[in-house]
Amino acid sequence: HLMVKILKFFFITFVLVLFTDFILGSYLLKFTPKKINTTVPHDIFDHNLKKKFKVNLEWGPKKTYLHCTDKNSFRTFCDQMSSNSKEFDIAFIGDSFTEGVGVNYQETFVGRISTHFNDLNIANLAVVSYSPSIYFSKLKYLIDNGYKFKRVIIYFDISDIYDDNKKYKLVDNKISRKKSATLSTIQKTLKSLFPFLAYSTKFIKNNFFDKSDKINKCKYLDFCHEKSSWTFNEKYFGSKEISKSLKFMEMIYLLLNENNIKMSVGIYPWPAQIMHDTKDSKIVRLINEFCKNKCEFFFNNFPDFFDELDASNKSDVILKYYIEDDVHFNSLGNEKLFINFKKNFKN
């Protein structure tokens, strides 16, 4: 009888919580901390930065940076937010590293390049969580809608293989998520009906569970981390998965070539590469081979980081160039990519 009473109590309580959330959930959310989202959904290439958006963002403990976008939804300097130009000498595209999360735009490598080569009109098309399938889809969309680029420079990220194989699919030049459409609809419906419960569940998950352990319970510096370790760990992503991303890169090359746009590619190591990989990494060999007869320039940043290991240990190099407890570059790391670009780029 006691167990029946306990179950009955919990059932009634749960029903009351759901009822309260259904009636008052949206109102209760007004009193919760708001996470600022810089992106919005996009019908063709999945997501884009918010247009003409200026905000201070938190990144890591007690670290904030200023994020600004222009009328094209491209990240830019905050005094250039009114720009709506559609003609550019260079367009950079990549993911969060190229967008420059965690640092002010003038400290990002694209921002530094824009300042140094101030006679060139430069666009930053990069957005967090992009990958080659989205690079292709977004570039095609922009070109089809009147944007003109003399050069496109892709900074291929270590995580691109994971995203192309696990997150996105390209059908008729449009990106969709690999997550089941039915499951996605159910999740959106539940979130709409019970917003406070959805918020509370996400808050607990993000703040009381180690986010770095989400991928196969391996942290980003570990040998077994799925997103980063494919360049040195044979367990993850073989030739089939790698070829998928390279196929999208080939499609980008053909698209740009048809439109008389020069293509270049850049690569850089994650902290895991510094820990476990070599200067002549698998990704270096793959992109170097891909670039033959296709790329105007190949910006290989691996030697610049690995050469420092001759005079310093791995942990110190990571601490020097990456945001603390994060895979992204700090201001010094971004400066290193800028110096590599300046050394190898010929206008």
Side-chain angles (χ1 to χ4, degrees):
H1 281 302
L2 180 61
M3 183 57 71
V4 172
K5 286 182 179 179
I6 292 172
L7 290 172
K8 189 176 181 180
F9 170 78
F10 277 111
F11 177 74
I12 292 171
T13 303
F14 182 65
V15 170
L16 285 172
V17 168
L18 289 180
F19 179 75
T20 303
D21 193 6
F22 182 75
I23 301 298
L24 299 172
S26 297
Y27 175 76
L28 293 172
L29 280 181
K30 293 179 181 177
F31 303 97
T32 60
K34 297 291 185 292
K35 182 188 175 185
I36 300 171
N37 194 349
T38 61
T39 64
V40 290
H42 195 278
D43 291 340
I44 305 299
F45 48 87
D46 189 73
H47 62 286
N48 202 9
L49 293 177
K50 291 179 179 176
K51 188 179 294 187
K52 210 175 179 192
F53 186 56
K54 181 177 182 179
V55 66
N56 267 303
L57 296 172
E58 291 184 5
W59 197 271
K62 299 178 182 177
K63 169 76 176 171
T64 62
Y65 71 100
L66 194 57
H67 167 96
C68 295
T69 60
D70 62 17
K71 292 179 178 178
N72 294 311
S73 296
F74 304 158
R75 192 176 177 198
T76 190
F77 298 101
C78 293
D79 61 355
Q80 295 179 15
M81 291 175 63
S82 60
S83 172
N84 60 355
S85 172
K86 282 192 166 189
E87 295 192 17
F88 298 92
D89 296 296
I90 305 175
F92 288 88
I93 193 163
D95 69 354
S96 51
F97 283 81
T98 307
E99 181 192 321
V101 298
V103 292
N104 294 318
Y105 197 62
Q106 59 268 28
E107 298 173 80
T108 68
F109 74 90
V110 179
R112 291 172 192 265
I113 291 166
S114 299
T115 300
H116 182 78
F117 296 95
N118 57 11
D119 57 326
L120 300 176
N121 194 16
I122 293 175
N124 189 344
L125 316 182
V127 180
V128 60
S129 293
Y130 273 12
S131 65
S133 54
I134 296 185
Y135 306 158
F136 170 78
S137 183
K138 183 170 187 174
L139 285 167
K140 185 172 190 327
Y141 174 85
L142 292 174
I143 291 168
D144 288 348
N145 282 273
Y147 286 81
K148 299 190 182 304
F149 311 109
K150 293 179 183 176
R151 291 180 166 107
V152 166
I153 301 175
I154 302 162
Y155 272 79
F156 189 100
D157 188 65
I158 300 292
S159 67
D160 282 355
I161 305 294
Y162 177 93
D163 289 342
D164 276 337
N165 283 277
K166 296 289 185 86
K167 285 174 68 173
Y168 307 121
K169 56 185 176 183
L170 181 70
V171 180
D172 295 330
N173 300 325
K174 293 171 67 173
I175 296 290
S176 60
R177 296 271 176 158
K178 288 203 167 182
K179 184 164 62 173
S180 160
T182 304
L183 177 62
S184 183
T185 302
I186 292 170
Q187 287 176 332
K188 286 179 183 176
T189 303
L190 290 174
K191 187 176 179 180
S192 174
L193 293 174
F194 309 111
F196 191 76
L197 186 63
Y199 167 83
S200 303
T201 305
K202 190 170 184 178
F203 179 85
I204 292 168
K205 177 184 170 187
N206 288 345
N207 290 278
F208 296 98
F209 293 93
D210 189 352
K211 287 180 278 187
S212 63
D213 279 356
K214 284 195 288 188
I215 310 271
N216 289 343
K217 299 191 175 178
C218 286
K219 297 182 181 179
Y220 71 95
L221 282 174
D222 291 342
F223 188 84
C224 57
H225 191 262
E226 186 178 5
K227 274 191 180 182
S228 58
S229 68
W230 66 269
T231 67
F232 50 79
N233 184 345
E234 294 298 326
K235 181 179 177 182
Y236 300 116
F237 301 128
S239 57
K240 180 183 175 184
E241 290 83 9
I242 293 168
S243 295
K244 187 171 188 178
S245 286
L246 291 179
K247 181 192 78 174
F248 294 132
M249 293 290 285
E250 180 76 27
M251 290 166 65
I252 295 167
Y253 167 72
L254 293 172
L255 170 71
L256 298 181
N257 195 45
E258 286 168 10
N259 289 276
N260 297 311
I261 301 169
K262 295 176 182 177
M263 175 181 178
S264 297
V265 181
I267 55 170
Y268 46 81
W270 275 31
Q273 274 60 49
I274 304 295
M275 287 297 294
H276 307 292
D277 211 344
T278 64
K279 185 192 297 189
D280 185 33
S281 169
K282 181 190 287 187
I283 191 171
V284 174
R285 299 192 301 272
L286 285 166
I287 300 301
N288 187 45
E289 184 62 31
F290 168 81
C291 267
K292 286 179 180 175
N293 304 316
K294 294 187 187 77
C295 300
E296 182 183 19
F297 302 107
F298 173 38
F299 301 103
N300 177 14
N301 287 273
F302 272 68
D304 301 307
F305 287 90
F306 277 88
D307 286 350
E308 293 222 6
L309 295 178
D310 296 336
S312 186
N313 65 52
K314 295 176 179 181
S315 297
D316 287 344
V317 169
I318 290 169
L319 193 63
K320 182 178 179 181
Y321 292 112
Y322 296 86
I323 295 170
E324 188 176 355
D325 297 324
D326 195 276
V327 299
H328 298 94
F329 292 116
N330 58 22
S331 181
L332 277 177
N334 274 280
E335 183 182 34
K336 209 163 182 62
L337 267 66
F338 160 63
I339 291 169
N340 173 276
F341 182 90
K342 188 171 61 168
K343 182 174 66 178
N344 291 291
F345 177 74
K346 304 289 185 292
N347 191 14

